[in-house]
């Protein structure tokens, strides 16, 4: 086990029961972890906002809201304004936007400050809970691609239809 400081980003696959336009039973996730002596919630906010602006453009609205994740405290979820309804929650032709469920927002990732209790499990490797602070985040790469390219449903990304890929120059 590596001692602090540590700054990593790790890709992987995740499995769950969800299956709708914005959730699939298997998806690709990118997780990040930063642990050092002077990391703050402000650092996490800056990293997440800069990522979202670089990925989606400065014209998209972003919001951070409280959330719950078992190994972080406080926990924060990051949402981006819905590309389909422009953040209004209503489709241009009228009616509630089913993609964002009428809220105008789509969650892009969960994150938070590493709970100090977690460091207790690796304290012998230099992770003193009194000195170390850090943040963690996890984002679905497939959902990020969906939002970046305006794909209204994640499921076609897994159907292996080359016509979908050709739309994006692949």
């Amino acid at each position: 086990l590596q001692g602090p400081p540590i700054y990593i980003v790790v890709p992987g696959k995740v499995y769950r029961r969800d299956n709708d336009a914005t959730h699939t039973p298997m998806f690709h996730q990118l997780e990040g972890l930063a642990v050092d002596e002077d990391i703050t919630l402000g650092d996490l906010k800056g990293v997440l906002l800069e990522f979202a602006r670089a990925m989606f453009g400065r014209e998209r609205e972003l919001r951070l809201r409280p959330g719950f994740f078992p190994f972080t405290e406080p926990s924060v979820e990051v949402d981006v304004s819905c590309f389909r309804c422009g953040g209004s929650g209503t489709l241009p032709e009228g009616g509630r936007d089913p993609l964002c469920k009428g809220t105008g927002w789509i969650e892009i990732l969960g994150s938070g400050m590493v709970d100090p209790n977690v460091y207790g499990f690796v304290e012998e490797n230099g992770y003193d809970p009194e000195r170390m602070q850090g943040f963690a985040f996890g984002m679905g790469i497939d959902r990020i691609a969906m939002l970046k390219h305006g794909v209204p449903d994640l499921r076609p990304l897994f159907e292996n239809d080359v016509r979908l890929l050709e739309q994006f120059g692949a």
Side-chain angles (χ1 to χ4, degrees), residues 72-161:
T72 59
E73 180 60 38
S75 298
V76 179
E77 296 186 51
V78 179
D79 302 328
V80 66
S81 56
C82 180
F83 65 85
R84 186 188 292 172
C85 68
S88 70
T90 306
L91 294 172
E93 60 273 9
R96 177 178 170 258
D97 184 349
L99 183 62
C100 65
K101 300 174 180 70
T103 67
W105 298 98
I106 299 175
E107 179 186 339
I108 60 170
L109 62 89
S111 63
M113 297 301 291
V114 177
D115 189 318
N117 292 320
V118 172
Y119 300 126
F121 293 100
V122 289
E123 191 169 1
E124 66 276 359
N125 296 98
Y127 293 88
D128 180 354
E130 297 295 321
R131 291 184 345 180
M132 291 296 117
Q133 298 176 158
F135 62 75
F137 61 83
M139 67 182 78
I141 299 169
D142 312 306
R143 185 178 295 183
I144 298 297
M146 169 192 181
L147 295 169
K148 172 83 175 162
H149 298 292
V151 177
D153 191 320
L154 274 174
R155 293 169 288 196
L157 296 176
F158 297 94
E159 293 173 356
N160 297 321
D161 188 336

Side-chain angles (χ1 to χ4, degrees), residues 4-7 34-44 113 119 128 130-135:
I6 188 167
Y7 296 87
V35 177
D36 210 333
E37 290 191 25
D38 294 316
I39 293 179
T40 68
L41 186 60
D43 295 319
L44 171 61
M113 297 301 291
Y119 300 126
D128 180 354
E130 297 295 321
R131 291 184 345 180
M132 291 296 117
Q133 298 176 158
F135 62 75

